Amino acid sequence: MPDTSAAPSGILLVDKPGGITSHDVVARARRALNTRKIGHAGTLDPMATGLLILGVGPATRLLTYIVGLDKTYEATIRLGVSTDSDDADGVETARADADALVAITPERIAAGVADLTGAISQVPSTVSAIKVGGRRAYDLARAGEEVQLKARDVTVNRFEVLAVRPVDGAIDLDVVVDCSSGTYIRALARDLGAELGVGGHLTALRRTRIGAFDVADAVTEITPHAVGQLRSAADVAAAVLGALPVTADEARDLRHGKRLVGAAARLDGALTPTPAAIDPDGRLVGIVERRGGDLKSAMNMAEDAS
């Protein structure tokens, strides 16, 4: 655990409640931990709940290595109703008639889900946080401006229907999705509804996993005591990138910007091409990468914040 007598530094897993933004969570953490330097790895919409990973103090530098990890979501998709935001926070724009809903069989649902599994091209929702000309797409959409986002390639490793429930004038699907970073579950709901010809939107969303981090291990309230739940930068970097033990002399050289000459072969068989250099005291020196036959720091951590 990090030294709680010093300025806080580490990674905090938070189970975000519904009805607040990811920025709201960051603001609460700043007040509770009495530090301004806090960021998060991957926005959750106000409607969504679940795992939000915060970086505190110098450990915020690790967020760039966390944000691209695969994720797992549990969600409810409502078939038969479309909204302008592709989720329940939006305004209803279309509703399917009863005959169209009756024609939605389990076989058709399974086929539609299969078409949205694997490597797919997906157009994000117009109310996403993607920047267009320096402004968030959701800000443009809410200002009444036309938003046209480009399709992006994503990977849906699992799109499983857990339950099918008829509701008043619609059909609800409880699903679980394992996907690459950048996948929009709202867009999956929209696209599944479109493929079935009845429209669709998301009514519930919960992120349960980011990489090796699980929401079951997250705090539900951020109080000053949460500093004791901070995970050290060294432990998190090793879990995400793999650990490369270095000697005290090598740690000193890396911190001073020197290369470890002829050490590139030590990356053979490493978990990633950019593992975490860990000194003999278990502190994170930084993230290293191959430069020819040498190893060089791609990112260094301050010695007292590792």
Side-chain angles (χ1 to χ4, degrees):
M1 289 291 182
D3 179 5
T4 56
S5 66
S9 177
I11 297 296
L12 184 65
L13 308 186
V14 177
D15 186 349
K16 186 188 92 67
I20 64 172
T21 67
S22 298
H23 182 73
D24 291 334
V25 176
V26 169
R28 291 181 182 183
R30 285 171 174 163
R31 291 192 297 270
L33 301 180
N34 195 29
T35 181
R36 294 292 303 167
K37 194 169 185 179
I38 297 181
H40 66 77
T43 299
L44 279 176
D45 294 330
M47 183 190 83
T49 68
L51 185 57
L52 187 68
I53 297 183
L54 303 186
V56 180
T60 56
R61 304 187 73 187
L62 290 178
L63 294 178
T64 187
Y65 300 97
I66 296 173
V67 70
L69 297 176
D70 287 357
K71 299 169 176 65
T72 297
Y73 295 90
E74 296 173 354
T76 299
I77 296 171
R78 179 155 295 174
L79 298 175
V81 181
S82 301
T83 72
D84 60 357
S85 63
D86 302 326
D87 65 21
D89 285 341
V91 176
E92 182 178 319
T93 57
R95 182 175 287 266
D97 61 36
D99 290 341
L101 287 173
V102 169
I104 303 301
T105 63
E107 292 75 18
R108 289 188 63 198
I109 292 172
V113 165
D115 286 344
L116 293 169
T117 303
I120 63 172
S121 182
Q122 180 186 77
V123 177
S125 170
T126 56
V127 293
S128 68
I130 294 173
K131 286 190 175 181
V132 180
R135 296 176 62 191
R136 299 289 185 187
Y138 55 69
D139 287 332
L140 294 171
R142 289 164 185 164
E145 298 184 36
E146 184 177 354
V147 180
Q148 292 185 337
L149 298 176
K150 295 180 179 179
R152 54 173 58 186
D153 294 332
V154 298
T155 302
V156 177
N157 295 305
R158 176 170 63 141
F159 188 178
E160 181 180 355
V161 178
L162 303 178
V164 180
R165 302 190 309 278
V167 295
D168 186 24
I171 300 171
D172 277 359
L173 308 180
D174 294 331
V175 303
V176 60
V177 178
D178 294 335
C179 57
S180 63
S181 179
T183 305
Y184 283 87
I185 311 303
R186 282 177 297 164
L188 285 180
R190 176 200 66 205
D191 293 345
L192 179 60
E195 183 158 332
L196 294 173
V198 294
H201 71 283
L202 205 63
T203 63
L205 181 66
R206 179 167 177 79
R207 186 159 65 197
T208 60
R209 181 189 63 86
I210 299 175
F213 305 106
D214 195 281
V215 71
D217 301 318
V219 300
T220 55
E221 290 187 48
I222 306 176
T223 69
H225 297 293
V227 70
Q229 300 299 314
L230 289 175
R231 300 181 178 215
S232 74
D235 288 347
V236 170
V240 173
L241 300 169
L244 179 74
V246 296
T247 67
D249 288 342
E250 290 172 333
R252 182 189 63 246
D253 287 346
L254 287 170
R255 287 187 173 111
H256 292 168
K258 296 181 180 179
R259 297 189 181 197
L260 303 187
V261 178
R266 288 161 62 180
L267 294 192
D268 294 344
L271 180 64
T272 67
T274 55
I278 308 295
D279 73 11
D281 294 324
R283 295 174 299 185
L284 176 62
V285 178
I287 311 303
V288 297
E289 62 185 4
R290 189 189 303 262
R291 289 292 180 88
D294 304 336
L295 289 182
K296 184 180 185 301
S297 284
M299 184 276 282
N300 267 351
M301 289 288 290
E303 189 168 357
D304 59 354
S306 303

